[in-house]
Amino acid sequence: MFSSSDSDTSIPNIPTGAWTQYGADGANTFTPNASAPSSGNLAWTSDAFTRWQPVVSDGTVYMTNFDPSNDGSVIGLDAQDGSEEWRTTLNASGDNGTVIVDNRVIVAYDSELVALDSQSGEQIWTEPINRFDFSELLVVDEATRTVLVASRAGIEAFNAANGEKLWEINTVRQIARAPAIYDGEGFVVGYIDGTPFLVAFSLEDGSELWRSELTSISESTPPVVTQERVFVSESRVLVAYNRETGDRYRELHSFSYDEGKYEINGIAATDSVVFATSHDGVVAIDSESGTERWHRDAVAGHSGICVGTETVVLPLRDPEFAPNEETISALDRESGEMYWYYTFDSSPNVMVPPVLVDGAVFFTASNMDGLGALGDVSAQDS
């Protein structure tokens, strides 16, 4: 355990692997095929301001500093030491979302969708979009290079190569979180004529495949898709739906207390296990049987969760290890036992789900102006 401080130390090895979009991949699984560092000490913080989730690919971190007090740029950083590789100024501010696909960094903000060259930052194309309201509303299908931009008005689809608008649907509205993509199909939670639905649609043309009525919609979690299931938070209950038919499969878990249920803050899933977080803790559930594999009694942060090959990484207030202190913690994926944790000098909010790639965890927090990188560096360097 080590506390936050100003730090400027290179991570020992170049962080490999990728986190290409909000949910790590197009299916919103938040499960990159990545191994967490063996210790979670602060290696470096960026000089540039950010409050938004970065994306990572091929040893480069891509972030934005969209804020009225800054120049509204997209910035490429060396993932190992945080040094700036390039900066493209868009004079933008406010919420934004970023994905990377096919050597293009694609950013949605305000009423524009912009593609930049990932190596140089050179602007490739710009297209108008419906107003972009939340940073968690952009997703890309890496197989077809189709970019989906969701909004309160519906979903727009674009070709990542040239920005061509492919189709637009407005049947589903008031979308609060990113659609998920799996095997040529999209899945979105939103309202149809004022009623909440989980809807599946064709990625090719946006045509509807099926719809299932929900009891309510979560503002905190997107749909998470695996080979057989679609997981959603519905009336504060983790629920699994059949991916092919939309049939409700089973209720898996809720975080209950005397007066009701806690909001589910994060969902991550593999093909066999689904992980969920709330104010009441972290849980791992067998996605087929609903059997609880483990539960950790701690307060999980609101920003979400990510699951690596051996660990579960998330913001956590754990009474056993760091009572009343916010941490970014790595738990053993199989048992939920503490692997390492990083504490802050104050009690900030971790702003976005931690971004895990091989050998590094990237994050933003309300007590920091820049992007932080945790890695396997010594306590003295942290």
Side-chain angles (χ1 to χ4, degrees), residues 48-62:
F49 168 88
T50 191
R51 284 285 187 268
W52 292 276
Q53 186 184 43
V55 294
V56 188
S57 181
D58 295 328
T60 300
V61 183
Y62 304 94

Side-chain angles (χ1 to χ4, degrees), residues 10-50:
S10 294
I11 294 170
N13 299 305
I14 298 173
T16 57
W19 184 293
T20 60
Q21 50 200 306
Y22 164 61
D25 51 38
N28 291 333
T29 65
F30 292 90
T31 56
N33 184 26
S35 181
S38 58
S39 61
N41 299 324
L42 185 66
W44 55 260
T45 57
S46 67
D47 292 330
F49 168 88
T50 191

Side-chain angles (χ1 to χ4, degrees), residues 218-354:
S218 169
E219 297 285 335
S220 301
T221 58
V224 174
V225 182
T226 61
Q227 184 175 3
E228 295 184 354
R229 306 286 176 235
V230 183
F231 302 100
V232 298
S233 174
E234 184 180 353
S235 298
R236 302 190 172 191
V237 177
L238 178 62
V239 181
Y241 284 81
N242 183 292
R243 183 180 67 82
E244 294 185 350
T245 65
D247 293 335
R248 203 173 201 258
Y249 177 66
R250 68 162 66 231
E251 294 185 0
L252 292 172
H253 190 78
S254 63
F255 297 92
S256 301
Y257 63 103
D258 291 342
E259 298 177 4
K261 300 181 180 71
Y262 289 108
E263 181 74 29
I264 295 175
N265 298 328
I267 302 171
T270 68
D271 283 336
S272 59
V273 183
V274 59
F275 303 82
T277 69
S278 83
H279 189 79
D280 188 47
V282 191
V283 68
I285 302 288
D286 186 287
S287 58
E288 192 66 25
S289 66
T291 303
E292 183 178 297
R293 294 195 174 189
W294 56 260
H295 178 277
R296 187 166 192 90
D297 187 11
V299 179
H302 288 278
S303 60
I305 183 176
C306 64
V307 177
T309 52
E310 299 95 15
T311 57
V312 177
V313 180
L314 74 164
L316 200 66
R317 291 176 181 259
D318 194 300
E320 181 180 353
F321 290 91
N324 302 316
E325 291 185 321
E326 185 82 4
T327 75
I328 293 178
S329 294
L331 309 178
D332 183 274
R333 176 170 151 169
E334 298 301 318
S335 67
E337 294 299 313
M338 184 67 71
Y339 185 54
W340 55 251
Y341 62 102
Y342 167 79
T343 61
F344 295 88
D345 288 335
S346 57
S347 296
N349 291 319
V350 178
M351 304 298 289
V352 298

